[in-house]
């Protein structure tokens, strides 16, 4: 039972490069989300999706794009990386409902030089 | 708006000491409240939750009570172990249609043998 799988675990980019962080879940969860974790700031929501074909912005969406073509996958795209995007990125999913806990992947550590 | 405030860390305790990590929140409506734990190099895991006033969540010896009158959800454990060393996050569910999870900044706990 894999849960939420994120790839890659580590990535180094140069300023201006683009890349996609992958996230897949095998629990048939409708809700999926991306957070970034920075020291002293907790986790901040980037984008989220309540089902295939539906996405919305979170607290810090600028510089990131998402799409949700299937229930299982929710990739996060950085179109032109900036040093301010150096962070640890977490994908999380849950069943519908505000009482349901989030299930997290193990994160992607991204460094932009 | 919705927000979560946690006590700053790190919190350093000796094994078998009593633990309290303070958490207060600001929210509209009646949010669900959560504690998550993050071990080094891993994603966040749900530790416990409470969904209405005066509910007590508990798991692995940890407890927290949903106090609406003081808008608090403090985490407690009677006797900590070295293996409890981790970062602890308090969180609430926003009560708009997205049911986004909003996190505090996290509190690092270090337990010494």
């Amino acid at each position: 039972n894999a849960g939420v799988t994120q790839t890659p675990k580590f990535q180094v980019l140069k300023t201006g490069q683009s890349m996609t962080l992958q996230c897949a879940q095998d629990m048939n969860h409708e809700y999926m989300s991306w957070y970034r974790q920075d020291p002293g700031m907790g986790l901040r929501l980037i984008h989220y999706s309540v089902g295939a074909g539906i996405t919305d912005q979170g607290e810090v969406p600028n510089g990131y794009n998402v799409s949700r073509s299937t229930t299982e996958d929710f990739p996060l795209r950085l179109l032109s990386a900036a040093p301010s995007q150096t962070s640890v990125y977490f994908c999380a999913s849950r069943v519908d409902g505000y009482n349901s806990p989030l299930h997290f992947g193990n994160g992607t550590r991204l460094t932009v030089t | 708006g919705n927000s979560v405030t946690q006590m700053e860390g790190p919190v350093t305790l000796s094994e078998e000491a009593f633990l309290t990590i303070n958490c207060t929140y600001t929210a509209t409506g009646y949010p669900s409240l959560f504690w998550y734990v993050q071990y080094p190099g891993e994603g966040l895991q749900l530790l416990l939750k409470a969904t209405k006033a005066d509910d007590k969540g508990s798991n692995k010896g940890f407890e927290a009570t949903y106090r609406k009158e003081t808008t608090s959800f403090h985490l407690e454990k009677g006797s900590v172990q070295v293996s409890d060393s981790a970062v602890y996050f308090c969180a609430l569910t926003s009560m708009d249609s997205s049911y986004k999870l909003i996190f505090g900044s996290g509190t690092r706990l270090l337990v010494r043998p």
Side-chain angles (χ1 to χ4, degrees), chain B residues 57-76:
Chain B
S58 61
N59 186 25
K60 300 181 182 179
F62 291 89
E63 293 183 338
T65 301
Y66 190 140
R67 301 284 189 202
K68 185 156 181 65
E69 64 276 12
T70 55
T71 62
S72 64
F73 192 54
H74 305 321
L75 183 68
E76 296 181 337

Side-chain angles (χ1 to χ4, degrees), chain B residues 13-25:
Chain B
L13 296 173
S14 298
E15 204 164 24
E16 299 183 2
F18 185 86
L19 168 71
T20 300
I21 300 178
N22 290 337
C23 170
T24 57
Y25 68 90

